[in-house]
Amino acid sequence: PTAAIGTCPRCGSFVCPQCQVDGQGLICPKCRMMGAVDRTPTPWERRGELGLVKGFLDTWKLVVFSPETFFRSLKPDGPIADPFIFAWILGLLTLPPNIAYNALNFGQMKTSLALFLKPMPGWLESATPLTYGLVIAIPPFLTFPLGYFLGAGMIHLGCRLWGAGGNGFKTTVRVMGYAQAPILALWIPLIGGLFAIYIIAL
């Protein structure tokens, strides 16, 4: 028999050198077969080492294309500022296409509103496509922090009601921040709604 070098953080079983996977800590084979992985900082949380762009893109790709691996490895007790900033940057990146999309649809929207709003509000009557796009897109971006934490609070309350969320509100805030990754595609016509559903799933 080989002497153990530590215990599995998931189940407490002893782990020997022969059971250890290089670079993956002391998780026992049984827990590893069930999908357990090491809790590690996300690439975004290692941006000082990897670089800002690489840390952001690597995190985005993991969340969108390998969500199970990403969230299994997410440290529940990590900082909340990192996922919050990650999500707000995503919102900033979607701002130009959102402004353009609303500007392009201004004529159709104005015609539709004219059927219900009589008289039309003065600001809308005199608005240009660009000003309309700005008015529609910028306020949600500026109020993002409020919506972010209120949304996390509602999600966490739901988790607690269903017997989950045992790691605390901080963990829910972290998960919600990184789960915003698909927001980059919300503005795409016809299929944007599918990515909204994907955010809820994440």
Side-chain angles (χ1 to χ4, degrees):
T2 305
I5 56 174
T7 57
C8 175
R10 298 300 195 280
C11 67
S13 299
F14 289 107
V15 181
C16 71
Q18 296 177 353
C19 297
Q20 185 183 18
V21 177
D22 289 341
Q24 295 191 25
L26 294 175
I27 299 174
C28 73
K30 183 177 179 181
C31 287
R32 201 177 300 282
M33 286 179 60
M34 295 174 64
V37 294
D38 285 339
R39 302 287 187 178
T40 58
T42 66
W44 174 245
E45 292 164 12
R46 295 168 48 220
R47 59 191 179 276
E49 165 195 347
L50 300 174
L52 187 69
V53 174
K54 181 172 174 53
F56 182 87
L57 291 177
D58 285 355
T59 300
W60 185 86
K61 287 187 289 187
L62 281 170
V63 174
V64 173
F65 299 110
S66 305
E68 185 172 357
T69 299
F70 177 83
F71 286 109
R72 283 185 183 276
S73 67
L74 184 64
K75 297 181 72 172
D77 57 347
I80 62 173
D82 288 322
F84 169 75
I85 294 172
F86 177 82
W88 210 354
I89 291 175
L90 288 166
L92 178 62
L93 293 175
T94 63
L95 202 52
N98 280 338
I99 292 172
Y101 178 78
N102 284 291
L104 289 172
N105 285 279
F106 173 64
Q108 180 180 354
M109 183 62 66
K110 190 174 180 180
T111 301
S112 299
L113 289 176
L115 300 175
F116 303 98
L117 299 178
K118 296 181 180 180
M120 289 274 285
W123 74 269
L124 189 58
E125 189 67 46
S126 60
T128 65
L130 178 59
T131 57
Y132 175 78
L134 292 170
V135 167
I136 296 298
I138 288 183
F141 172 74
L142 296 178
T143 58
F144 173 79
L146 178 63
Y148 178 84
F149 287 103
L150 284 177
M154 290 175 17
I155 290 173
H156 189 70
L157 177 61
C159 289
R160 298 303 292 165
L161 290 174
W162 287 95
N167 283 323
F169 178 65
K170 182 178 180 180
T171 302
T172 305
V173 171
R174 283 176 55 75
V175 170
M176 181 170 172
Y178 288 120
Q180 302 303 305
I183 202 175
L184 289 179
L186 289 186
W187 62 273
I188 300 176
L190 301 179
I191 64 171
L194 297 178
F195 288 95
I197 296 172
Y198 191 31
I199 289 175
I200 296 172
L202 292 176

